[in-house]
Amino acid sequence: MSPGRRYGFGFWSVAAVFLTVIAFSTAPGPLYTLYRERDAFSALVVTIVYAAYAVGAVVSLVLAGHLSDSHGRRRVIVPALLIEIAAAVVFLFWPALPGLIVARSLTGLGVGAFTSTATAWLGELHAAHRPRATNRRAQVVGTASNMWGFGVGTMLSGALAQWAGHPLTVPYLVFVIALVVGLLLVLAAPETRAPMRPRTRYRPQRVSVPHHVRGRYLAAATGMFVVFAAFGLFTSVAPSYLSGPLHHPSVALAGTVTFVVFTSAVAAQLATSMISVPRLLTTGIPILLVGLALLVAAVWLPTPSLAGFLTGGVVTGLGGGILFRGTLSTVVTLAPENARAEALAGLFVAGYLGLTIPVIGLGLLIRYSTPQVGLLVFATALALAVIATAPALLCRTGVADERTPAPLFSEVSAFSLATAVRDGHER
């Protein structure tokens, strides 16, 4: 195989593995209702299991997300994949509550190290395969692999659980096989980053806030917090709403709903790739608010509406995808170039906090009130947070140039610090 074809093979291999890993991270989502029926879990317990993933991802992102810059891409990707395989095995052989928490924590640890490394590797493989081409192809493939993975995982596991039998076993068995195949593909892909000699002294990824624009940065972090919380609703307790107030207990439907939400988010990001940052923010905020309102209305109707809930999910995905790009692009323009990695790290920490605190709060509300009241309070809190920070977020003070189109991939790819981290560590 010629070098060019090897790099092309590596590019598509890493993209496929990227999608597989992200898909596995959301695979348990539609299955939570089955765990609840089997073990009488409360919604709060489900959200705690779900939050274990976010905690693991934050720890891994800060401690290991940047290590491939000095150790090589494959030397980080392979251990991350082995951790994901171990998580799938734990799901298979330890399906009790402690095992679920361990498996979700392992999943987060693997994903945190994998995403930034895979993002950087994709860009380098594409550049080696097509040295005269722009990075647009890598941008689109990376965005699709990452964000669509969240939807594909829930849809696949829901379909397998619904129609393949052994619903708490078969989905994980399929992902074990897929992850092992992915490991073989990664081992065959060409390395693009040789280990540094001598190696730099280890330090965790720094997290910092630009002091001169702290108010606007914190507003962007709040926006990211809200976006992650909204998406966390669909990857954690949304199946409980479908099987409860909406009276649609199908796990296949639960997975499909999440897939539709993330597909709409991907579509929104791709459609707004050439829109300026102010327009992203002024467009994304009202759309997200409308989506949250539709979700609440759907479960508060005298006869709760599945169609209304799906519509609310699509609109929330559109608004969340646009606001996601807007907040990330805002931080890219606010932060000095030599501190961009630290600023983005802080932004993603805020996002992962959004995956934990509000969703756990929603679980508590459902436990002590009703699902309808819980969703009303949850959506109202998110809406008020966005509205309260909108003036600071839309202020242009301290921004270098917001007339340029928002970056699509390197610094705005979902959950990825790859380019910024790499630049920061090479200086």
Side-chain angles (χ1 to χ4, degrees):
M1 185 182 296
S2 66
R5 293 185 66 183
R6 284 187 66 243
Y7 284 114
F9 167 81
F11 174 80
W12 290 111
S13 296
V14 172
V17 179
F18 200 168
L19 187 145
T20 301
V21 168
I22 300 301
F24 172 64
S25 73
T26 59
L31 310 181
Y32 286 140
T33 54
L34 301 180
Y35 287 116
R36 290 186 64 184
E37 292 172 1
R38 189 194 66 182
D39 298 330
F41 289 166
S42 66
L44 176 61
V45 171
V46 170
T47 56
I48 291 173
V49 172
Y50 173 78
Y53 162 79
V55 173
V58 169
V59 170
S60 181
L61 185 67
V62 173
L63 297 182
H66 59 290
L67 290 182
S68 70
D69 298 325
S70 57
H71 292 74
R73 307 305 183 201
R74 188 183 294 110
R75 292 190 178 189
V76 174
I77 288 287
V78 168
L81 277 171
L82 291 174
I83 292 173
E84 296 299 308
I85 293 170
V89 171
V90 172
F91 275 123
L92 279 171
F93 294 103
W94 193 8
L97 178 58
L100 298 180
I101 294 175
V102 170
R104 289 302 284 164
S105 300
L106 288 173
T107 303
L109 287 172
V111 166
F114 184 95
T115 51
S116 57
T117 304
T119 301
W121 202 3
L122 274 176
E124 292 166 354
L125 287 166
H126 180 266
H129 176 48
R130 296 187 174 185
R132 295 184 179 86
T134 68
N135 66 345
R136 175 72 181 182
R137 183 163 168 252
Q139 294 171 359
V140 173
V141 171
T143 299
S145 298
N146 198 336
M147 194 65 102
W148 258 323
F150 288 98
V152 169
T154 56
M155 186 174 67
L156 177 61
S157 67
L160 290 171
Q162 186 74 39
W163 294 302
H166 303 285
L168 298 181
T169 302
V170 171
Y172 300 122
L173 183 61
V174 169
F175 273 105
V176 167
I177 296 171
L179 290 167
V180 170
V181 172
L183 179 62
L184 297 176
L185 290 174
V186 163
L187 291 173
E191 179 61 84
T192 56
R193 177 60 63 106
M196 288 185 178
R197 294 289 187 269
R199 290 179 183 171
T200 58
R201 183 179 179 181
Y202 172 78
R203 64 171 175 82
Q205 172 61 48
R206 288 193 294 262
V207 176
S208 68
V209 177
H211 291 284
H212 64 294
V213 287
R214 177 165 291 180
R216 194 150 187 260
Y217 178 91
L218 292 178
T222 301
M224 184 64 73
F225 179 95
V226 169
V227 169
F228 274 52
F231 286 151
L233 168 70
F234 292 97
T235 54
S236 60
V237 296
S240 298
Y241 281 92
L242 291 170
S243 62
L246 298 171
H247 306 294
H248 288 277
S250 167
V251 289
L253 176 63
T256 301
V257 168
T258 305
F259 175 79
V260 169
V261 170
F262 280 100
T263 298
S264 65
V266 172
Q269 290 188 3
L270 295 176
T272 58
S273 62
M274 299 303 293
I275 293 179
S276 65
V277 178
R279 285 188 62 193
L280 283 172
L281 296 172
T282 56
T283 302
I285 289 173
I287 293 177
L288 179 62
L289 293 176
V290 170
L292 292 172
L294 289 173
L295 289 172
V296 173
V299 300
W300 274 89
L301 289 172
T303 302
S305 170
L306 175 63
F309 194 82
L310 286 171
T311 302
V314 170
V315 177
T316 299
L318 291 171
I322 296 171
L323 186 56
F324 179 92
R325 286 178 49 77
T327 54
L328 272 162
S329 299
T330 297
V331 170
V332 168
T333 59
L334 288 176
E337 189 175 357
N338 61 357
R340 191 167 292 165
E342 289 83 353
L344 286 173
L347 190 67
F348 278 103
V349 168
Y352 278 109
L353 289 175
L355 281 180
T356 54
I357 298 173
V359 177
I360 290 177
L362 177 57
L364 282 168
L365 288 168
I366 293 174
R367 180 175 182 179
Y368 294 108
S369 59
T370 65
Q372 288 88 341
V373 171
L375 185 57
L376 175 62
V377 174
F378 176 85
T380 301
L382 296 189
L384 291 175
V386 170
I387 293 170
T389 58
L393 192 57
L394 295 172
C395 173
R396 300 191 181 191
T397 302
V399 179
D401 183 6
E402 290 185 305
R403 293 172 298 174
T404 57
L408 172 65
F409 176 70
S410 297
E411 293 158 324
V412 188
S413 177
F415 312 124
S416 174
L417 298 172
T419 300
V421 170
R422 182 176 70 249
D423 291 346
H425 284 271
E426 286 182 346
R427 288 188 176 88

